[in-house]
Amino acid sequence: MLRRLLIAFCLLFSAATAANAEDGYDLWLRYKPVEASQGADYKTRATAIVTGSTPTLDVAKRELQRGLGGLLAAAPMTSNTIADGAIVLATPADSRGFAIPVGLDREGFVIRSTTLDGHPVTVIAGGSDIGVLYGAFRYLSLIQTQKSTAGLDIQDAPKLDLRVLDHWDNLDGHVERGYAGTSLWDWWRLPDRVDARYDDYAAANASIGINGAVLNNVNAKADSLTEPYLRKAAAIANVLRPYGIKVYLSARFSAPIDLGGLKTADPEDPDVAAWWQAKADEIYTIIPDFGGFLVKANSEGQPGPGDYKRTHAQGANMLAKALKPHGGIVMWRAFVYSEHDATDRAKQAYLEFQPTDGQFADNVLVQIKNGAIDFQPREPFHPLFGAMPRTQQMMEFQITKEYLGFSTHLAYLAPMWEEVLQADTFAKGKGSTVAKVIDGSLDGHTLTGMAGVANIGDDRNWSGSDFDQANWYAFGRFAWNPDTKSAEIAEDWTRMTWSNDPKVVSTIVPMMMGSREAVVHYMTPLGLAHLMDTGHHYGPGPWVSELGRPEWNPAYYHKADLNGIGFDRTKTGSNALGQYTPQAAKPWLEAKKTDERFLLWFHHVPWDFKMKSGRPLWDELVVTYSQGVDEVSAMRKTWATLEGDIDSERFNAVAANLAIQEREAQWWRDACLTYFQSVSKRPLPAGYTLPGITVEQYRKRVFPYAPGRG
Ligand code: BDP
């Protein structure tokens, strides 16, 4: 409702709202007026909106009115008759005389400049009404990014079926690994009070093709499967439905015990299966288009089929069977490592899952994180990709920046995701990229997907910072098409979010493109990983080595001692490399030939190991950490050049974050090098210094109130 009122308000007072300060709430859907000359040109092709009415078409119409109203400073009215310059919304059910291409995907669309009833028009036709909505957003984005809307002939459809945000939101409002305030979901007051923001959330997602939302944390409470909570979820589902978004829930595997009073949750027990069947039936009476379950099982203390000596496939299939009659699916996570297993953590998921290839039901997807450890600033691609050809594998990225500086550090994640998606598994010879594994084309799978751990909270700007909105946006673009280029996404987002001013675009895009590498440099360069302080993962903690389980300790990952540093994952070490195809592993086998960005991930090398620069590794480490700090300082200076070119509210917010980032980058560099020097006992190369703070002093810095704790 609020959204509708807002639209009316914008239409009436668009000039007034344009003058308002910006707080980031509008995301990439700001719809600021285009220049008058160009606007006139666009207007001739947007004289009226001709459309039928379904809940989704109504949304498409509203968004076009809101968008064009802002961009062209006057919204075209809806009409039933085709006239010159009309935008005609067509579906197979109501094609308005337009020949919709045969076989157009349900979610696909065509945008074409053509003639209908003798009138020049723009048709936005969908394989169904949701395709029209996606087409409407694409059409608006053309104007937002100042492309022509003349002579259009665009056809597109998503390459992946499930494009899902995973909210790690607890029922008490805390967001695990959330840095943007508390949960959007007001579980306490739902279903009676339905926050008007849900409409805006849905519109933002639909604009980038996201079609699913898992509402609750993977570390799930069974309570979300009780009737009162299902009714709350249903209220959210009702808002999201017209935007083509389905609701999913994380399911706690022990729910039959927790809620049903059964003595076991053994997936092979008929009473357990019957409990889940009844639960699934109940869910679908409350949420008829419920998407399905996301499951974290036998991982970090969560219950699972392993508790009964059953496989992941047995657990997943039992749930899948309950959902199947209703068309639901299971996303079963492969993020597992055992508390009792001394095997290299990077190897454990593969060891547990790969042997079950081919055993999963056809409505199960195995959801795999991009790397084998845990969303680090840089990891090689997960060896499971391509290694289970008879299993539907989906990607899990983390949009929220648990390990990349929370929402205060500027790090555009798309280049990291692109690096993984374009990595070659060689599973079926050269060109078997991870993108081809997950889009189903490599092994002929039809059910495909990508999940992103959301970075959304109740902060006014949704993501905790303006630049973190780019990561939400980029996730949607990759889920739509995993072969998209990160630079192209950055440019579109910049134009839509900041400005089309060439100076702004040419300043922001390169800054974004280099930002993730800067984080790698000042946090975990040269293949290092998981040096973050323990628990909250805020700031450096390379010295941590005393925690109960080995893999909780950063020292486990870097293995630095007097002689050298790095994790030997070759044959002389854990041989995690053996989990990759020989061709994929080849460039990483020998330390001397390994891409230095992955060196210490795969190799333990002496401090005087000679790097490509000619420097010994120790010196290179110092230089690279320092470079990371310099890169952040450079970003700060670059940003300062935009003062006056963008609104002061967002300018200042970004500037404040960059100041924090610069300070923290320096802390990362100083603390890590101080610690590593205490181990390596080597002098710093000429020209480099440390502040003289001891490891003990760094260690004493504690942050009991860091946000997003697990
Ligand atoms: C880690 C997080 C933890 C999550 C876990 C997971 O630290 O909060 O529960 O991953 O993905 O990254 O299950």
Side-chain angles (χ1 to χ4, degrees):
M1 188 55 186
L2 182 66
R3 187 171 183 79
R4 258 161 265 165
L5 286 175
L6 271 177
I7 293 165
F9 179 82
C10 289
L11 295 181
L12 286 171
F13 303 105
S14 53
T17 49
N20 281 356
E22 298 215 31
D23 56 14
Y25 186 85
D26 291 336
L27 297 160
W28 49 89
L29 302 176
R30 288 163 59 252
Y31 302 130
K32 293 290 158 201
V34 295
E35 280 163 35
S37 55
Q38 252 196 321
D41 191 36
Y42 287 129
K43 265 185 198 163
T44 62
R45 289 181 289 275
T47 56
I49 301 168
V50 180
T51 178
S53 177
T54 69
T56 300
L57 287 176
D58 290 348
V59 169
K61 184 172 62 190
R62 270 195 342 249
E63 288 301 322
L64 280 169
Q65 284 185 307
R66 181 172 91 97
L68 295 170
L71 290 160
L72 311 181
M77 290 297 133
T78 52
S79 159
N80 232 334
T81 42
I82 294 174
D84 284 8
I87 298 176
V88 181
L89 307 186
T91 63
D94 185 8
S95 71
R96 306 266 158 177
F98 180 74
I100 296 181
V102 187
L104 183 63
D105 187 274
R106 189 183 70 80
E107 295 181 305
F109 60 81
V110 173
I111 308 176
R112 194 172 296 160
S113 310
T114 184
T115 306
L116 284 185
D117 295 349
H119 298 283
V121 296
T122 305
V123 174
I124 303 177
S128 70
D129 51 7
I130 188 63
V132 174
L133 179 60
Y134 292 153
F137 278 115
R138 181 68 60 84
Y139 181 81
L140 288 169
S141 76
L142 296 175
I143 305 178
Q144 286 178 282
T145 56
Q146 295 193 340
K147 301 203 174 72
S148 172
T149 55
L152 293 178
D153 191 8
I154 299 172
Q155 180 166 343
D156 201 5
K159 277 200 177 178
L160 304 182
D161 300 311
L162 310 173
R163 307 179 297 279
V164 181
L165 286 181
D166 290 359
H167 291 268
W168 285 359
D169 294 17
N170 292 339
L171 300 181
D172 65 2
H174 174 75
V175 181
E176 181 158 340
R177 311 311 176 184
Y179 312 104
T182 57
S183 177
L184 269 189
W185 318 128
D186 186 357
W187 292 114
W188 188 248
R189 287 187 285 185
L190 280 163
D192 302 294
R193 181 178 179 276
V194 182
D195 194 326
R197 270 188 95 153
Y198 302 165
D199 258 299
D200 297 335
Y201 163 87
N205 279 326
S207 77
I208 46 177
I210 288 173
N211 68 357
V214 183
L215 300 181
N216 61 323
N217 193 351
V218 284
N219 297 317
K221 294 270 189 237
D223 306 69
S224 47
L225 299 174
T226 58
E227 198 209 312
Y229 277 92
L230 291 173
R231 300 223 173 268
K232 293 167 191 282
I236 300 173
N238 289 342
V239 179
L240 306 192
R241 188 170 297 116
Y243 297 86
I245 302 169
K246 282 187 182 178
V247 151
Y248 300 75
L249 291 172
S250 293
R252 185 168 169 86
F253 201 77
S254 60
I257 302 173
D258 309 333
L259 303 178
L262 300 191
K263 294 228 153 35
T264 177
D266 181 352
E268 296 297 313
D269 184 304
D271 290 342
V272 171
W275 187 88
W276 281 108
Q277 186 61 66
K279 184 49 75 181
D281 297 346
E282 179 195 357
I283 294 174
Y284 281 90
T285 61
I286 299 173
I287 311 172
D289 57 347
F290 179 64
F293 293 137
L294 170 65
V295 186
K296 172 175 179 175
N298 294 120
S299 163
E300 300 183 329
Q302 295 300 313
D307 303 348
Y308 311 96
K309 309 245 175 310
R310 310 293 186 192
T311 64
H312 288 283
Q314 284 173 300
N317 293 349
M318 184 267 301
L319 294 178
K321 197 171 166 210
L323 296 167
K324 179 89 177 172
H326 307 286
I329 57 108
V330 173
M331 296 171 283
W332 190 272
R333 299 178 83 225
F335 177 69
V336 296
Y337 59 97
S338 156
E339 45 248 79
H340 312 293
D341 192 344
T343 311
D344 176 3
R345 175 173 162 189
K347 291 178 70 176
Q348 294 190 25
Y350 181 101
L351 291 173
E352 232 174 295
F353 275 83
Q354 201 283 330
T356 61
D357 184 29
Q359 296 175 14
F360 289 89
D362 64 2
N363 58 334
V364 177
L365 297 103
V366 173
Q367 181 170 312
I368 305 165
K369 290 188 181 182
N370 54 273
I373 297 286
D374 195 7
F375 299 137
Q376 294 303 298
R378 169 165 281 122
E379 291 190 44
F381 72 87
H382 201 301
L384 270 176
F385 287 114
M388 299 179 73
R390 291 175 298 145
T391 303
Q392 297 165 146
Q393 300 190 322
M394 70 186 279
M395 174 63 79
E396 179 176 322
F397 286 131
Q398 192 180 45
I399 308 170
T400 188
K401 302 204 315 297
E402 174 181 0
Y403 295 104
L404 287 99
F406 297 0
S407 58
T408 33
H409 293 207
L410 197 164
Y412 173 53
L413 302 180
M416 170 165 91
W417 298 336
E418 184 178 13
E419 188 174 299
V420 170
L421 289 165
Q422 295 310 321
D424 201 340
T425 69
F426 288 91
K428 291 207 166 143
K430 197 170 159 47
S432 306
T433 58
V434 172
K436 286 193 179 137
V437 174
I438 63 161
D439 74 15
S441 61
L442 194 70
D443 300 303
H445 293 302
T446 46
L447 182 60
T448 57
M450 185 185 286
V453 181
N455 66 351
I456 300 161
D458 69 352
D459 272 8
R460 182 71 194 157
N461 65 17
W462 303 88
S463 300
S465 77
D466 294 290
F467 273 94
D468 276 302
Q469 299 174 354
N471 294 323
W472 176 7
Y473 177 85
F475 168 76
R477 293 284 301 266
F478 279 125
W480 181 273
N481 178 0
D483 285 316
T484 313
K485 300 277 167 275
S486 55
E488 182 189 319
I489 299 172
E491 178 169 340
D492 287 346
W493 176 81
T494 299
R495 288 176 179 278
M496 292 158 81
T497 305
W498 297 104
S499 163
N500 279 297
D501 174 353
K503 177 187 165 194
V504 173
V505 176
S506 66
T507 305
I508 290 183
V509 173
M511 189 175 93
M512 288 171 76
M513 291 303 290
S515 59
R516 172 267 189 150
E517 204 65 45
V519 176
V520 173
H521 290 155
Y522 64 74
M523 283 191 189
T524 52
L526 308 176
L528 289 170
H530 225 305
L531 305 185
M532 297 76 195
D533 202 358
T534 193
H536 49 61
H537 298 153
Y538 171 66
W543 43 78
V544 178
S545 61
E546 65 284 354
L547 302 176
R549 280 168 53 176
E551 73 284 346
W552 285 349
N553 295 290
Y556 168 89
Y557 297 96
H558 61 67
K559 303 213 181 312
D561 59 20
L562 185 61
N563 302 315
I565 182 170
F567 201 126
D568 182 0
R569 295 194 162 99
T570 68
K571 276 195 182 134
T572 54
S574 77
N575 199 24
L577 259 173
Q579 294 182 337
Y580 292 94
T581 58
Q583 298 96 313
K586 203 170 156 213
W588 295 324
L589 289 176
E590 278 177 65
K592 281 213 179 71
K593 293 190 184 153
T594 297
D595 176 344
E596 289 177 351
R597 298 175 310 164
F598 295 105
L599 181 64
L600 304 177
W601 183 279
F602 288 117
H603 300 278
H604 186 83
V605 293
W607 291 110
D608 56 10
F609 177 86
K610 196 169 170 205
M611 301 293 285
K612 296 199 173 97
S613 63
R615 283 188 281 265
L617 169 68
W618 165 250
D619 290 15
E620 188 82 6
L621 200 64
V622 177
V623 170
T624 313
Y625 266 112
S626 311
Q627 183 188 337
V629 182
D630 293 345
E631 284 162 337
V632 179
S633 305
M635 286 205 285
R636 253 189 108 177
K637 289 200 190 84
T638 304
W639 185 254
T641 66
L642 294 179
E643 182 156 21
D645 294 316
I646 52 181
D647 55 282
S648 58
E649 196 171 357
R650 292 187 302 162
F651 174 84
N652 289 331
V654 172
N657 278 339
L658 284 168
I660 296 173
Q661 183 175 8
E662 188 179 42
R663 191 177 65 232
E664 294 187 350
Q666 188 74 49
W667 168 36
W668 263 96
R669 174 224 179 249
D670 293 346
C672 288
L673 290 178
T674 301
Y675 168 74
F676 288 131
Q677 189 181 40
S678 75
V679 180
S680 75
K681 316 273 185 223
R682 300 202 167 223
L684 295 180
Y688 291 85
T689 55
L690 282 170
I693 300 170
T694 65
V695 173
E696 269 323 299
Q697 285 167 318
Y698 282 120
R699 190 197 285 270
K700 280 198 187 118
R701 298 184 182 179
V702 290
F703 305 94
Y705 307 112
R709 283 178 310 280

